[in-house]
Amino acid sequence: MKRQLLAVGLVAMVALAGCSALPGDDAPATEDDLEVADDDPGATNVTQSLVFDVDESAAGTELTEVAAVYPREAFDVDAAGHEEIRIAVDTDDDGEAEERFDESHVSGVNTNEYSYTVTLDTGYTLDAGDTVLLEYPAVDNPDEPGNYTVELTLNEEHVENGTVTVA
């Protein structure tokens, strides 16, 4: 429910604030921590949104890195420009981002064929209960429908698995 409220809040921010907010999409939230703008098999340059609920393992650290590792045989990850990546933090669990970071906060984007790591210089200290959202716009879906497990990492401290569903 919290992720759905966050997605609804982000769509509303885009409608009201233009380019400074995170772009929303019409895809429903998955039960895990990944949302995709296009779940069609073989779709290219799909925007995928990672959602992290900050726990004690990352609390008290600066927001410095977000990474995703996709199944190597299924997905292709392309390079994305700093200006194409959107980062936000919902600090009070109301579904709206109170903190937003733009391309000036992205210090690096490292990719290979199946993963990406976005390094950041935000100056923002994470608190337990914060929700971090990162949108990455350059992932190609596999040709086969199914549920795919993706390893998600926040600040090298918080690692969890999410599920991408390709219909």
Side-chain angles (χ1 to χ4, degrees):
M1 181 68 172
K2 181 174 152 181
R3 287 179 189 85
Q4 290 171 330
L5 288 174
L6 182 61
V8 169
L10 292 172
V11 170
M13 286 188 323
V14 169
L16 296 174
C19 296
S20 65
L22 290 171
D25 62 63
D26 295 328
T30 63
E31 65 184 32
D32 293 306
D33 297 315
L34 269 152
E35 297 177 25
V36 296
D38 183 350
D39 65 355
D40 292 335
T44 60
N45 293 317
V46 174
T47 297
Q48 297 204 356
S49 302
L50 308 183
V51 180
F52 292 93
D53 294 325
V54 177
D55 64 12
E56 295 301 322
S57 66
T61 63
E62 181 182 345
L63 174 57
T64 59
E65 183 180 282
V66 180
V69 178
Y70 293 83
R72 156 183 324 242
E73 69 285 351
F75 289 83
D76 287 321
V77 175
D78 296 319
H82 294 195
E83 72 283 355
E84 297 176 289
I85 296 168
R86 304 283 182 249
I87 305 108
V89 179
D90 176 1
T91 62
D92 60 7
D93 198 26
D94 66 353
E96 295 183 23
E98 284 73 37
E99 301 289 333
R100 292 183 198 92
F101 306 101
D102 60 22
E103 67 269 9
S104 68
H105 298 97
V106 177
S107 56
V109 180
N110 297 312
T111 62
N112 61 30
E113 293 177 2
Y114 58 91
S115 69
Y116 64 83
T117 301
V118 177
T119 53
L120 305 161
D121 184 14
T122 63
Y124 179 78
T125 301
L126 296 166
D127 287 323
D130 282 355
T131 300
V132 176
L133 176 75
L134 179 131
E135 290 190 353
Y136 192 86
V139 179
D140 296 346
N141 288 346
D143 292 329
E144 296 296 320
N147 293 321
Y148 296 87
T149 300
V150 178
E151 182 181 276
L152 310 173
T153 306
L154 178 65
N155 284 0
E156 296 183 7
E157 301 291 326
H158 180 134
V159 179
E160 61 187 62
N161 288 328
T163 301
V164 172
T165 299
V166 176

